[in-house]
Amino acid sequence: MLASMSVSNSLAASQPHINATVSASAGSGKTWLLITRIVRLLLAGATPGSILALTFTRKAAAEMQIRLNERLYELASCEDDELITMLEAIQTEASPENQRRARSLYEESLHSLHPARLQTFHSFCQDILARFPLEANVPPGFELLEDTSLLEQQAWEELFTEATENTESPLTRSLDFLMRENNSVANLRTSLSSMLNHRSDWWAYTFDQPYPVEYASAALRQQLELLDDKDPLADFFNDFTKKALAEFAKLLALHVTKTNASHSEIIVSLLSDAIFDLDTLKQVEAVFLTGKGEPRARKFSKAQEGKMGAEGQDQFLEIHARLSAQLIETLDYLKRQQTLAINQAWYFSGQHFIEIFQRIKRELRMLDFTDLEWHCYQLLNTSDNALWVQYKVDQRIDHFLIDEFQDTNPTQWQLLAPLFEEMAAGSTDRWRTAFLVGDEKQSIYGFRRANPALQAQASQWLEEHLGAQAAPLDFSWRSSPAVIQFVNQVFQQEEVQAIMPNFSEHDTHLKTLPGRVTVFPLCQLDEEDAEVEPACTTMRNPL
């Protein structure tokens, strides 16, 4: 009963006249559902060229194309009774007209001048930029660079060549500072490569700013609550603090212990040297704070009162509490200053590294995947021709489907948003639909800036503006009950629920009989998910 309910609910998302968002767990048949929706769109009269389905790898795009061709061929070549069964299985009326239409889809797809586009996200961006190169400010006839490692190495060498030509330049000072902070050239390169790989985030953050490094530095300074003219060392080592330190050393000397004697000598020595720098502050820190940065446990005691006197002990503890708090505040401020200094050097060096890398590609008339996303985003959102380009792109797309949405990054979602907005603002007389499917649990491309939280945001936007219906797809066709039970236990933990509050309990179509385990034959399962529930075999449970 539960399995049939799951199939029914998931098929609701394949209805050709609704907008839908699907949260699909692994092995639950999401690719089958997406292909089913395309088939139902075609059966309902959609032209192949009006359908665009995006995914995130070429392998997945090829798999979708193969699945679609196989499904259409099966509809065209099967027996009449099988055709009726197939149409009913996808909740489509097996009328004579629908049967005739189903028989013709395969040939129509083969001979269509504008077939359904099942492609990767980057190929979609590449197509748009190839149509509007001048509007996008990219070289007409550009080439796509898939492996940027050699150009990154060339940019790295040029960066250091420039730095060594003038050892007093801001670039050289920034690189020297970062190298000291990173402890090695290898770590420095990793740090700058990280900024290069996330340059679209940097571009988005500093967009339309004439001086991006200065802008980012000023924003960080404000976030860290740093004042331009504040000197935390001078503020700490003022005359009042020096007198307090001297008095504290005298009181320590009255109550002779090994620790007190050592701390008293430290204070007397640094006051006599009168060099109040960061090293001096570290010596004071050793007197007042523990290794964890917390105030030392100095408290009232009869022995201490006997040596210092009641008034002296009160003064001693008051100085300790006040200077400890002041010291913690000063150290925190210094850490924030250091954070700003490191990031300013990183911004400056990273910006320069990015500029060299981009210049090399321009000279070669090449774009990489990040360029495709960024230029497409700018073209559809901020260019002078944005509305016109949106209109031209929009005219070719009536039915938008996105697979593996959990792998979307912020730039990709921002360039998709205008197309969905155009859909929401368009005429109601035009038949248009949106469909997205993904699973936050399967988001493993954080290093590519994928953000699984975007799935919930996009689903909410589609619900509010396009009336999209949510359809969970959480019954697995290929996992055993033990696996699904483990998944439920992991994702129902409070710590995980705080990250993924919308997780719904999963189940499986695979059921274990007493003393036996149900097994799907491997030949009937593919890499992505099972299209239909295969006939199963049983073997005795060895346990």
Side-chain angles (χ1 to χ4, degrees):
M1 175 64 71
L2 286 176
S4 63
M5 287 175 60
S6 172
V7 172
S8 176
N9 291 341
S10 64
L11 277 173
S14 72
Q15 295 180 49
H17 289 88
I18 70 167
N19 301 308
T21 61
V22 179
S23 175
S25 61
S28 59
K30 58 181 179 296
T31 305
W32 181 88
L33 180 63
L34 187 145
I35 298 302
T36 296
R37 183 176 175 95
I38 295 177
V39 171
R40 294 187 67 176
L41 286 169
L42 294 171
L43 286 170
T47 59
S50 68
I51 298 173
L52 173 65
L54 298 181
T55 189
F56 289 84
T57 65
R58 292 174 180 171
K59 181 179 179 181
E63 175 70 17
M64 287 197 302
Q65 188 66 64
I66 291 172
R67 294 277 197 96
L68 178 59
N69 290 342
E70 289 177 343
R71 188 82 72 87
L72 297 183
Y73 177 78
E74 192 173 1
L75 289 172
S77 60
C78 67
E79 299 295 334
D80 289 343
D81 56 343
E82 293 178 353
L83 177 60
I84 293 173
T85 300
M86 291 177 64
L87 292 175
E88 291 177 345
I90 61 174
Q91 296 184 351
T92 299
E93 182 184 0
S95 64
E97 175 60 24
N98 280 343
Q99 292 183 52
R100 184 201 62 78
R101 175 70 177 157
R103 294 288 192 193
S104 67
L105 290 180
Y106 181 67
E107 184 176 0
E108 181 181 329
S109 177
L110 288 180
H111 297 289
S112 175
L113 293 176
H114 302 288
R117 287 168 291 166
L118 287 72
Q119 57 186 158
T120 65
F121 199 99
H122 291 115
S123 63
F124 170 65
C125 293
Q126 188 174 359
D127 288 347
I128 293 177
L129 295 180
R131 289 179 62 197
F132 307 99
L134 299 180
E135 293 83 355
N137 195 27
V138 299
F142 64 85
E143 294 185 27
L144 178 62
L145 181 66
E146 298 190 20
D147 184 357
T148 63
S149 56
L150 291 178
L151 290 192
E152 184 176 336
Q153 176 64 29
Q154 182 179 345
W156 176 257
E157 292 172 356
E158 288 194 23
L159 180 74
F160 266 78
T161 298
E162 181 179 338
T164 54
E165 289 176 351
N166 182 359
T167 57
E168 297 300 322
S169 69
L171 175 62
T172 304
R173 291 197 298 269
S174 294
L175 289 174
D176 284 343
F177 179 72
L178 287 176
M179 198 176 303
R180 290 194 300 271
E181 291 296 323
N182 285 277
N183 299 317
S184 71
V185 176
N187 290 338
L188 169 61
R189 180 165 183 174
T190 299
S191 176
L192 292 181
S193 294
S194 174
M195 186 165 182
L196 182 67
N197 294 332
H198 291 77
R199 61 191 180 278
S200 60
D201 290 328
W202 171 251
W203 290 334
Y205 182 58
T206 61
F207 179 72
D208 212 21
Q209 295 295 327
Y211 306 103
V213 174
E214 290 78 359
Y215 168 78
S217 298
L220 181 59
R221 178 185 293 276
Q222 183 177 7
Q223 183 180 357
L224 293 172
E225 299 179 351
L226 296 175
L227 303 177
D228 293 336
D229 56 351
K230 182 176 176 61
D231 183 350
L233 288 175
D235 289 348
F236 181 82
F237 289 111
N238 56 40
D239 291 340
F240 183 76
T241 301
K242 293 174 186 176
K243 291 179 181 179
L245 286 170
E247 185 63 29
F248 193 77
K250 291 179 182 179
L251 292 169
L252 282 171
L254 293 177
H255 183 42
V256 180
T257 66
K258 183 178 179 179
T259 299
N260 285 357
S262 173
H263 288 171
S264 179
E265 290 175 4
I266 290 173
I267 296 175
V268 171
S269 176
L270 65 88
L271 289 176
S272 63
D273 291 342
I275 301 175
F276 301 106
D277 55 12
L278 186 59
D279 289 337
T280 304
L281 189 71
K282 290 295 184 182
Q283 295 181 62
V284 175
E285 180 184 2
V287 172
F288 287 89
L289 305 181
T290 66
K292 294 182 178 180
E294 300 171 350
R296 288 183 175 275
R298 290 189 169 105
K299 55 187 178 181
F300 288 96
S301 74
K302 291 293 184 180
Q304 186 170 264
E305 183 178 0
K307 298 291 185 179
M308 297 180 182
E311 185 177 346
Q313 179 172 239
D314 289 342
Q315 185 181 14
F316 172 76
L317 295 177
E318 188 274 330
I319 293 174
H320 172 69
R322 174 163 48 83
L323 291 189
S324 293
Q326 186 179 345
L327 185 59
I328 290 173
E329 182 180 343
T330 301
L331 290 170
D332 176 71
Y333 197 91
L334 287 168
K335 288 178 182 178
R336 285 183 277 145
Q337 283 187 326
Q338 182 72 355
T339 297
L340 177 63
I342 292 173
N343 279 277
Q344 283 178 321
W346 189 55
Y347 293 159
F348 186 87
S349 302
Q351 169 74 8
H352 211 74
F353 188 33
I354 292 171
E355 288 174 351
I356 294 173
F357 183 71
Q358 293 298 111
R359 174 181 54 76
I360 294 172
K361 284 187 298 178
R362 283 196 303 271
E363 293 172 351
L364 296 173
R365 299 175 64 84
M366 287 183 170
L367 302 180
D368 61 14
F369 292 128
T370 299
D371 295 325
L372 293 180
E373 293 177 4
W374 179 251
H375 285 295
C376 196
Y377 157 74
Q378 285 190 303
L379 179 64
L380 293 171
N381 285 270
T382 64
S383 70
D384 294 336
N385 301 291
L387 294 178
W388 178 75
V389 174
Q390 287 177 27
Y391 171 77
K392 298 295 288 185
V393 173
D394 182 69
Q395 290 301 300
R396 298 183 59 189
I397 306 171
D398 285 332
H399 307 287
F400 212 150
L401 302 92
I402 306 177
D403 189 24
E404 306 291 0
F405 198 86
Q406 76 278 352
D407 294 330
T408 305
N409 66 45
T411 305
Q412 292 167 344
W413 169 238
Q414 288 301 318
L415 74 87
L416 288 175
L419 303 180
F420 286 123
E421 289 170 356
E422 187 72 21
M423 186 179 293
S427 171
T428 56
D429 296 334
R430 183 179 170 190
W431 175 34
R432 311 192 67 191
T433 62
F435 173 89
L436 65 85
V437 58
D439 181 13
E440 296 175 68
K441 301 190 302 304
Q442 297 183 63
S443 182
I444 59 173
Y445 291 107
F447 63 95
R448 295 181 184 173
R449 303 172 49 249
N451 185 351
L454 290 174
Q455 182 170 331
Q457 296 176 21
S459 297
Q460 182 177 355
W461 191 95
L462 291 175
E463 179 183 356
E464 292 176 355
H465 295 85
L466 292 173
Q469 300 180 20
L473 196 60
D474 45 27
F475 274 73
S476 174
W477 289 98
R478 67 186 180 202
S479 295
S480 68
V483 171
I484 296 302
Q485 183 180 6
F486 175 77
V487 170
N488 287 332
Q489 289 180 350
V490 169
F491 286 91
Q492 287 174 343
Q493 297 179 81
E494 291 185 7
E495 298 85 349
V496 181
Q497 283 285 301
I499 303 172
M500 293 181 54
N502 297 323
F503 173 78
S504 59
E505 186 172 352
H506 293 6
D507 205 340
T508 178
H509 295 287
L510 195 61
K511 300 300 179 184
T512 302
L513 302 176
R516 295 175 180 266
V517 60
T518 308
V519 179
F520 288 153
L522 294 179
C523 61
Q524 297 190 29
L525 294 176
D526 54 42
E527 185 175 343
E528 294 296 326
D529 43 43
E531 284 201 31
V532 293
E533 184 175 10
C536 58
T537 60
T538 60
M539 67 178 182
R540 292 205 173 272
N541 190 335
L543 300 179

